[in-house]
């Protein structure tokens, strides 16, 4: 009876995965959302059954992928299948939502790195280089158009733009890390909604205002800044790539901490919740605001600012 139930549920979830896969491939608008739900069938199955059974479901999903799609989609099935199985195991072990988020981010990151390596080595497709070439062509065309129109070209700004384009490739690790975090977050959001519908006890997210990153991030950030200031770094070297990516990631974390503190402060003082949201929106158009929020995040962590604020 139990084996019959396992086979039946496996077949249903396998059919669900096939539908989601086809939707992600052939429905451009909806597919951009559906793609984050692809781990769900494996996640649900791994919660209900043993790891070996979940791996068998993944093997069956690979065969189904060959039937309903092209062999190239096997990479997607492997990535989302493994992600779903691991996340399902984390849910089964009753891990906290932050632990699940971090593990999901790590799994997605490894998958993205492997996909990038395969696309470059075997298919000669380098997305980063294509983006750089596209930006360079756009700048060259804009420069030619301005010269034809008789407008003056600011060489200093043009040089900065070219430098920014070259930086895109060096920031690839950060881009992959942020994309992995975002993918993990969306997948968990969808999974929590589905699990609640299925009467499972889904892990709950902590309130944004209560989230705090480890204090060690501040000191690591300071160390990186000091090393970058007093170390001779060659342009385009791996050392520069390491410093650039670490400082960028730490800056994003401290910026997040700054907005978290702002949400905490507005709640403690009884202000409207719109203040942090409005501050973020304004920051998109006023570049100086984000560095100020980063400094606020450093102060909050470094001096335990929240402990000095009395909550109403």
């Amino acid at each position: 009876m139990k084996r019959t139930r396992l086979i039946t549920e496996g077949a249903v979830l396998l059919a669900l995965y096939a539908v989601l896969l086809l939707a992600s491939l052939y429905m451009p608008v909806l597919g951009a959302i559906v793609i984050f739900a692809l781990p769900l069938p494996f996640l649900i199955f791994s919660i209900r059954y043993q790891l070996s059974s979940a791996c068998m479901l993944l093997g069956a999903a690979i065969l189904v992928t060959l039937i309903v799609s092209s062999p190239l989609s096997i990479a997607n099935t492997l990535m989302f299948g493994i992600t779903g199985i691991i996340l399902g195991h984390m849910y089964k072990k009753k891990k906290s939502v932050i632990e699940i988020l971090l593990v999901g981010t790590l799994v997605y990151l490894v998958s993205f790195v492997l996909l990038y390596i395969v696309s470059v080595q075997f298919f000669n497709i380098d997305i980063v280089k294509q983006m750089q070439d596209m930006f360079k062509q756009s700048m060259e065309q804009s420069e030619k158009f301005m010269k034809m129109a008789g407008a003056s070209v600011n060489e200093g700004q043009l040089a900065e733009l070219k430098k920014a384009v070259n930086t895109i490739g060096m920031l690839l690790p950060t881009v992959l890390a942020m994309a992995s975090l975002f993918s993990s977050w969306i997948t968990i959001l969808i999974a929590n909604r589905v699990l609640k519908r299925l009467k499972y006890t889904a892990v709950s997210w902590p309130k944004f205002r209560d989230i705090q990153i480890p204090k060690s991030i501040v000191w690591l950030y300071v160390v990186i800044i000091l090393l970058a200031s007093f170390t001779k770094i060659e342009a385009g070297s791996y050392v520069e790539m390491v410093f650039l990516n670490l400082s960028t990631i730490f800056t994003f974390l401290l910026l997040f901490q700054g907005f978290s503190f702002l949400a905490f402060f507005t709640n403690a003082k009884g202000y409207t919740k719109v203040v942090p949201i409005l501050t973020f929106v304004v920051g998109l158009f006023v570049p100086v605001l984000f560095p100020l929020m980063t400094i606020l995040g450093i102060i909050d962590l470094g001096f335990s600012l929240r402990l000095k604020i009395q909550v109403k």
Side-chain angles (χ1 to χ4, degrees), residues 17 21 58 62 65-66 70-83 111-112 114-115 118 123:
Y17 176 75
L21 179 63
L58 177 57
I62 293 174
T65 302
L66 289 172
S70 65
L72 293 176
S73 297
I74 292 177
N76 288 336
T77 298
L78 283 171
M79 179 177 73
F80 293 113
I82 292 173
T83 301
S111 301
F112 288 155
L114 290 176
L115 286 175
V118 169
F123 300 101

Side-chain angles (χ1 to χ4, degrees), residues 227-234 239:
L227 286 175
S229 302
F230 297 101
T231 304
K232 186 177 180 180
I233 303 174
E234 295 183 7
V239 176

Side-chain angles (χ1 to χ4, degrees), residues 117-189:
I117 292 173
V118 169
S119 67
V120 173
Q121 295 295 325
F122 295 97
F123 300 101
N124 199 27
I125 300 174
D126 191 337
I127 299 176
V128 176
K129 189 175 184 304
Q130 290 178 355
M131 288 179 61
Q132 287 178 315
D133 292 340
M134 181 181 67
F135 281 124
K136 287 178 181 178
Q137 291 175 4
S138 177
M139 283 194 301
E140 289 173 358
Q141 291 176 358
S142 298
E143 186 179 0
K144 289 180 181 178
F145 179 78
M146 290 179 68
K147 288 181 178 179
M148 290 175 60
S152 60
V153 179
N154 191 317
E155 297 296 335
Q157 292 181 350
L158 189 62
E160 288 296 323
L161 285 174
K162 290 180 179 179
K163 184 179 179 181
V165 171
N166 293 329
T167 305
I168 293 175
M170 299 189 70
L171 283 174
L172 177 62
T174 297
V175 173
L176 291 177
M178 298 301 292
S180 302
L181 178 63
F182 177 78
S183 300
S184 179
W185 177 58
I186 295 296
T187 298
I188 293 171
L189 283 179

Side-chain angles (χ1 to χ4, degrees), residues 25-244:
L25 291 174
Y26 302 110
M27 301 178 69
V29 178
L30 183 62
I33 301 173
V34 170
I35 194 169
F36 296 109
L38 286 174
L40 285 186
F42 306 97
L43 188 152
I44 295 170
F45 197 77
S46 62
I47 289 177
R48 293 185 174 183
Y49 300 101
Q50 296 180 352
L51 180 62
S52 58
S53 300
C55 292
M56 290 177 62
L57 180 69
L58 177 57
I62 293 174
L63 295 177
V64 170
T65 302
L66 289 172
I67 296 172
V68 302
S69 185
S70 65
L72 293 176
S73 297
I74 292 177
N76 288 336
T77 298
L78 283 171
M79 179 177 73
F80 293 113
I82 292 173
T83 301
I85 291 172
I86 293 176
L87 290 180
H89 180 73
M90 296 291 289
Y91 274 98
K92 194 173 185 178
K93 293 295 183 180
K94 306 294 183 182
K95 299 295 183 180
S96 69
V97 69
I98 300 300
E99 289 177 306
I100 296 174
L101 177 65
L102 293 176
V103 170
T105 300
L106 181 61
V107 176
Y108 268 116
L109 180 59
V110 172
S111 301
F112 288 155
V113 170
L114 290 176
L115 286 175
Y116 178 75
I117 292 173
V118 169
S119 67
V120 173
Q121 295 295 325
F122 295 97
F123 300 101
N124 199 27
I125 300 174
D126 191 337
I127 299 176
V128 176
K129 189 175 184 304
Q130 290 178 355
M131 288 179 61
Q132 287 178 315
D133 292 340
M134 181 181 67
F135 281 124
K136 287 178 181 178
Q137 291 175 4
S138 177
M139 283 194 301
E140 289 173 358
Q141 291 176 358
S142 298
E143 186 179 0
K144 289 180 181 178
F145 179 78
M146 290 179 68
K147 288 181 178 179
M148 290 175 60
S152 60
V153 179
N154 191 317
E155 297 296 335
Q157 292 181 350
L158 189 62
E160 288 296 323
L161 285 174
K162 290 180 179 179
K163 184 179 179 181
V165 171
N166 293 329
T167 305
I168 293 175
M170 299 189 70
L171 283 174
L172 177 62
T174 297
V175 173
L176 291 177
M178 298 301 292
S180 302
L181 178 63
F182 177 78
S183 300
S184 179
W185 177 58
I186 295 296
T187 298
I188 293 171
L189 283 179
I190 297 173
N192 282 353
R193 289 292 184 91
V194 173
L195 291 175
K196 285 180 180 178
R197 293 277 185 178
L198 296 175
K199 307 302 180 182
Y200 279 95
T201 304
V203 290
S204 58
W205 290 95
K207 294 180 179 178
F208 176 70
R209 63 176 179 265
D210 296 329
I211 298 176
Q212 293 194 69
I213 63 175
K215 288 189 177 183
S216 57
I217 295 296
V218 174
W219 306 115
L220 290 172
Y221 181 72
V222 172
V223 169
I224 291 298
I225 296 299
L226 291 176
L227 286 175
S229 302
F230 297 101
T231 304
K232 186 177 180 180
I233 303 174
E234 295 183 7
S237 64
Y238 284 107
V239 176
E240 183 187 19
M241 179 183 290
V242 170
F243 277 114
L244 182 62

